[in-house]
Amino acid sequence: MPKNLTANRAALGHRLSYALRHPARIPRHLRRTARDAWLRHRSPDHVAYYRAVMRSDTRRDPDAAVGSRNRERWLALGAMQFDYLLGHGLRPEHRMLEIGCGNLRAGWRFIEYLRPGHYYGVDISPDILFAAQDTLRDQGLQDRLPTLTPVRDLTLGFLPEGRFDVVHAHSVFSHSPLPVIEECFAHIGRVLAPGGWFDFTFDRTEGEEHHVLREDFYYRTETLTALAADHGLAARFMDDWEQLGHGQSKIRVTHRTDG
């Protein structure tokens, strides 16, 4: 099914039309709206708010918390991410940082493929990292020695300079307001090795930029590429990712001198 790149999902008309087409989803949406309003009231900072969202979602189902409706879809989406990176330059000797690693939907495949100790996963949610530990155990990957670390923000100040050949963030910026994305852009160049790259997905719109419940954010491609350029980074839209049928789009960022 092709993406709808012009719809404003926050607009009243769109919400009413969606409700008429999917009446069975109305109770769940109302429950989520009420929950999110309460969490925003308690956590006005966006990262703290979304950490609370993840805590709530993870308690129900870790796979659903990272956006997979069932285990089969969890496996399929992880394979899609892994296969794409494998076809776009990932090598076993690379050192990889995964931002928003979740419960290792794709991460366990990266850990299995990379040399021991070469995978570093961070997430704002300690709860989902507990689920990530379960994934490591279930997949028998303890001897690969990955690092999993909770973070307060995306300044990444505790990580060494020029350490990572590959940085990966799947379905992170789709849940982030622009200041959080800019914070990441302001610091990612420091930890990115010369010749390395940073791949991230985002919810793309060609219409008005908007958000839904401050959980899902929709951006124009040029907004993010321009923001990357402001921080000395070159950004390229990855057209071939679109052919896989994933709901989000992908951009690759490098140091500007890397081309």
Side-chain angles (χ1 to χ4, degrees):
M1 183 176 179
K3 300 178 185 180
N4 186 337
L5 296 176
T6 58
N8 184 338
R9 293 160 181 82
L12 179 60
H14 179 87
R15 288 184 290 162
L16 290 175
S17 175
Y18 186 88
L20 289 172
R21 296 196 309 274
H22 306 284
R25 300 181 186 179
I26 294 174
R28 179 181 179 276
H29 179 76
L30 292 176
R31 288 195 299 270
R32 195 169 191 92
T33 299
R35 184 205 65 172
D36 286 5
W38 170 244
L39 294 178
R40 284 197 303 274
H41 173 73
R42 297 183 63 188
S43 306
D45 168 74
H46 180 79
V47 173
Y49 156 66
Y50 205 74
R51 184 178 293 118
V53 169
M54 287 297 295
R55 181 184 304 117
S56 175
D57 287 348
T58 301
R59 286 173 178 170
R60 291 181 176 87
D61 180 354
D63 291 353
V66 299
S68 300
R69 59 182 176 268
N70 53 48
R71 178 49 56 136
E72 291 71 26
R73 185 62 174 161
W74 185 87
L75 289 167
L77 286 174
M80 180 188 295
Q81 296 171 58
F82 174 76
D83 290 345
Y84 186 84
L85 271 189
L86 196 63
H88 288 74
L90 183 66
R91 298 294 178 262
E93 65 272 17
H94 284 157
R95 296 186 182 275
M96 180 177 188
L97 170 65
E98 186 163 33
I99 298 172
C101 64
N103 66 338
L104 301 179
R105 178 170 59 181
W108 74 265
R109 299 175 188 272
F110 296 134
I111 292 165
E112 186 176 56
Y113 175 76
L114 297 170
R115 291 177 181 171
H118 279 218
Y119 176 92
Y120 203 115
V122 299
D123 205 288
I124 65 167
S125 170
D127 299 86
I128 202 66
L129 289 178
F130 296 149
Q133 292 175 355
D134 294 339
T135 300
L136 285 177
R137 178 201 62 213
D138 295 344
Q139 298 295 333
L141 294 170
Q142 297 94 327
D143 63 347
R144 307 302 291 178
L145 295 174
T147 300
L148 303 175
T149 302
V151 293
R152 289 188 296 265
D153 52 39
L154 295 183
T155 59
L156 307 173
F158 64 97
L159 293 174
E161 183 174 350
R163 178 69 168 177
F164 298 102
D165 305 290
V166 180
V167 182
H168 184 246
H170 183 92
S171 197
V172 174
F173 291 171
S174 54
H175 302 300
S176 301
L178 214 53
V180 172
I181 298 174
E182 182 164 24
E183 178 180 81
C184 183
F185 285 169
H187 297 279
I188 202 69
R190 187 186 68 82
V191 303
L192 194 61
W197 70 87
F198 170 33
D199 280 11
F200 64 86
T201 62
F202 68 105
D203 280 326
R204 180 162 64 100
T205 181
E206 293 179 356
E208 182 180 359
E209 296 183 332
H210 60 282
H211 68 81
V212 179
L213 299 179
R214 293 198 68 78
E215 278 199 46
D216 302 298
F217 291 78
Y218 293 81
Y219 296 108
R220 291 186 292 273
T221 302
E222 56 267 28
T223 296
L224 299 182
T225 56
L227 190 62
D230 288 343
H231 292 279
L233 303 167
R236 176 165 61 96
F237 185 78
M238 305 298 278
D239 298 86
D240 57 351
W241 173 261
E242 303 283 292
Q243 299 168 16
L244 301 179
H246 189 269
Q248 297 178 15
S249 297
K250 186 183 285 283
I251 286 175
R252 173 164 292 190
V253 165
T254 61
H255 290 293
R256 188 175 288 163
T257 54
D258 293 338

